Amino acid sequence: MKIRCHHMCHRQYHKLTLWDCGGQLSAQSLWSYHYPNTSLLVWVINIHDRSRLDSNLQLLSQTLLNPLLFQIPVLIILYNSSFHKYQQNNSDEDSNQSELTNLEVAFRFLATLSTSRASSFKWQVINVSTDEQNRTEDLKKVRQSFRELMDL
């Protein structure tokens, strides 16, 4: 992916390399191979997976303790899978009440960090969906977050 940024009088493109490291326990031991030269950490959470939120954010906090990730910006992306809607047997109102919100995730993420650690790096929580109709807006949102977090 390339992000175009306007610096003073010229345009500049920044090339991004993304790695999907997977969340399985067996894959976590391999994550550290991707830490050198990391400029931004993207952490993805399903908004319907409330039961695993605390363990997910605790894992993120532990990951950020690695010295190679010191002061690396973090983008937490909450995604709303349209596939989940087809599996959901509850009413829409019950489903919406159980969805994680950006504010809830932000507060719970801060709770997992030490006070000094919380102010040592930039981070954001954004919400995107996997629906075709919102794809363009969601990509714009992700790009904007990349620019803000990486000072592009």
Side-chain angles (χ1 to χ4, degrees):
M1 176 189 312
K2 289 186 178 182
I3 294 180
R4 183 179 69 203
C5 300
H6 298 282
H7 293 280
M8 299 293 186
C9 299
H10 64 280
R11 292 183 190 174
Q12 186 175 4
Y13 287 89
H14 296 274
K15 182 180 174 187
L16 301 177
T17 302
L18 303 174
W19 295 94
D20 179 358
C21 295
Q24 296 80 12
L25 191 57
S26 60
Q28 290 175 18
S29 63
L30 303 173
W31 289 358
S32 60
Y33 292 106
H34 300 288
Y35 295 167
N37 300 317
T38 296
S39 300
L40 173 74
L41 179 65
V42 177
W43 199 265
V44 181
I45 299 174
N46 185 329
I47 65 169
H48 299 288
D49 200 1
R50 180 175 293 282
S51 65
R52 292 184 12 197
L53 179 63
D54 288 330
S55 60
N56 197 332
L57 292 176
Q58 190 63 41
L59 180 59
L60 172 56
S61 295
Q62 290 172 353
T63 301
L64 292 171
L65 292 175
N66 186 301
L68 292 173
L69 297 177
F70 183 71
Q71 294 187 332
I72 295 297
V74 176
L75 176 59
I76 300 173
I77 298 178
L78 304 180
Y79 75 95
N80 183 4
S81 170
S82 57
F83 179 71
H84 180 79
K85 293 176 187 174
Y86 297 116
Q87 293 181 328
Q88 186 76 308
N89 291 332
N90 298 337
S91 71
D92 286 342
E93 187 176 310
D94 291 341
S95 175
N96 289 340
Q97 288 179 353
S98 68
E99 291 178 356
L100 296 167
T101 65
N102 294 16
L103 189 58
E104 178 183 7
V105 171
F107 278 123
R108 288 172 75 175
F109 176 55
L110 276 174
T112 66
L113 298 170
S114 67
T115 306
S116 61
R117 182 71 180 114
S119 62
S120 66
F121 65 99
K122 294 195 290 186
W123 59 279
Q124 282 185 17
V125 179
I126 63 170
N127 194 318
V128 300
S129 72
T130 57
D131 294 336
E132 280 287 321
Q133 62 195 32
N134 296 329
R135 182 170 289 162
T136 303
E137 286 304 311
D138 287 340
L139 280 174
K140 285 180 185 177
K141 202 183 306 184
V142 170
R143 280 186 167 157
Q144 183 61 33
S145 293
F146 281 6
R147 285 186 187 112
E148 291 170 5
L149 288 169
M150 298 174 66
D151 294 323
L152 299 177

